[in-house]
Amino acid sequence: MMHAAAPFEWSNFLGPFHVVMLHLPIGAFVLAVLLEIWATRRPSEGARQAVAVALGFSVAASWMVALLGYLRASHGEYDAQVVYWHTVLGLAFALLITATWLLYVKWYPAAQGARLRLSYRGLLAVSSVCLVAAAHGGGTLTHGSKFLTEGAPPALNRFLGNLESSAKPDPRAAAQMFPTQIEPILARKCYPCHGAEKQKGKLRLDQRDLAMKGGSSGEPALVPGDPLKSRLIVVSLLPPDHDEVMPPEGKEALTADETMALIRWIQSGASYGEPAIQP
Ligand code: HEC
């Protein structure tokens, strides 16, 4: 069977070019700043024109990239707040360097006044800050918020406070989690059949070692650190009319929040904390 192709849209085709083309205005802008520094040391008509050309090119390219960015933002599934700030800063950069460029080609060369030169350089500096901030926002959108620091030396990362990763197993947090969040779920929805009194499927979930041993299937119901190998998660995620779904059909199912809590608890080591209260 043929798959129906999505209808053609220019924004689908052109949007991704935003990420490629955005290097043009950045390169031209950096070149303009370097040329400006050079022209300060050796002022000449040629140097002045070179700055004007580099800056003008950066202006034209910025607006093109802004347009492509608009097309891209309409399709990507990105964090809305980061997109918002990236857009504001990107547009601010385009506006600022347009103003800088106009100031430069119109008035700066004729006047040569100290105040004009200062405001021109001030604009260049503010544009640079905007550019760095906009670029960082863009990097965050495409590569994630830790794209600059994930390869950094551990000492630097500790300094930046990047190490508090929630994905890492934290046995102490899990131990505190059990009596407050986990045991109430298990006691209400699983212990009636898998507790001290009844062991349906030869499975007991109220003790860690027995849960890890599993029931009549021989497969462990609990694999600390690995929720998707833990049968107790696998069977809870089955469709409601499945033969093996837990709790069985007709009993009150786990809510999404409860399943998430169990997954997090297993992920972080599945500690039972203090000895479990016997039901
Ligand atoms: C109403 C009783 C009942 C409740 C409540 C219940 N189960 Fe079960 N469970 C069973 C029965 C019966 C079996 C055996 C099914 C079989 O062998 O086909 C079983 C089997 C299992 C197994 C497979 C054991 C093995 O190794 O074969 C797992 C895992 C399991 N249950 C997890 C859970 C979890 C997690 C909960 C709570 C969210 C739960 N059950 C709630 C009745 C129940």
Side-chain angles (χ1 to χ4, degrees), residues 185-186 188-194 198 200-203 205 214-219 221 231-233 235-236 243-248 251 254 262:
I185 303 173
L186 298 178
R188 207 158 92 79
K189 300 199 168 167
C190 312
Y191 291 175
C193 301
H194 302 293
K198 255 196 255 172
K200 293 282 176 67
K202 300 207 174 93
L203 177 64
L205 291 174
S216 48
S217 72
E219 287 179 63
R231 291 292 300 166
L232 86 86
I233 294 298
V235 294
S236 318
D243 278 350
E244 290 175 31
V245 69
M246 285 295 144
K251 299 284 167 192
L254 293 177
L262 291 173

Side-chain angles (χ1 to χ4, degrees), residues 26-211:
I26 298 178
F29 178 77
V30 170
L31 182 65
V33 172
L34 291 176
L35 283 171
E36 174 65 19
I37 295 169
W38 185 66
T40 313
R41 310 197 131 233
R42 300 158 175 255
S44 75
E45 182 55 21
R48 198 189 67 77
Q49 279 175 4
V51 173
V53 168
L55 212 50
F57 183 78
S58 186
V59 169
S62 297
W63 288 110
M64 179 184 69
V65 167
L67 179 68
L68 291 172
Y70 169 74
L71 297 176
R72 180 166 178 82
S74 59
H75 282 275
E77 285 167 359
Y78 300 112
D79 182 327
Q81 207 187 357
V82 184
V83 170
Y84 173 78
W85 282 109
H86 178 61
T87 310
V88 167
L89 290 163
L91 284 176
F93 173 74
L95 282 169
L96 276 168
I97 60 162
T98 306
T100 314
W101 178 67
L102 286 174
L103 193 66
Y104 194 81
V105 293
K106 282 260 186 205
W107 298 291
Y108 176 61
Q112 287 293 331
R115 204 182 278 167
L116 261 178
R117 199 175 309 159
L118 204 65
S119 47
Y120 159 74
R121 295 209 175 124
L123 275 175
L124 266 193
V126 179
S127 309
S128 311
V129 174
C130 256
L131 175 62
V132 171
H136 187 68
T140 301
L141 288 172
T142 32
H143 311 297
S145 63
K146 299 203 170 143
F147 77 112
L148 279 181
T149 49
E150 66 189 355
L156 178 61
N157 253 325
R158 265 196 302 280
F159 175 70
L160 294 172
N162 251 335
L163 280 185
E164 26 73 52
S165 157
S166 53
K168 283 235 183 80
D170 179 354
R172 236 187 314 149
Q176 289 160 0
M177 212 177 163
F178 188 75
T180 56
Q181 293 182 47
I182 302 306
E183 175 127 73
I185 303 173
L186 298 178
R188 207 158 92 79
K189 300 199 168 167
C190 312
Y191 291 175
C193 301
H194 302 293
E197 279 158 25
K198 255 196 255 172
Q199 291 96 38
K200 293 282 176 67
K202 300 207 174 93
L203 177 64
R204 239 183 116 156
L205 291 174
D206 60 326
Q207 288 177 19
R208 193 171 189 263
D209 51 343
L210 295 178

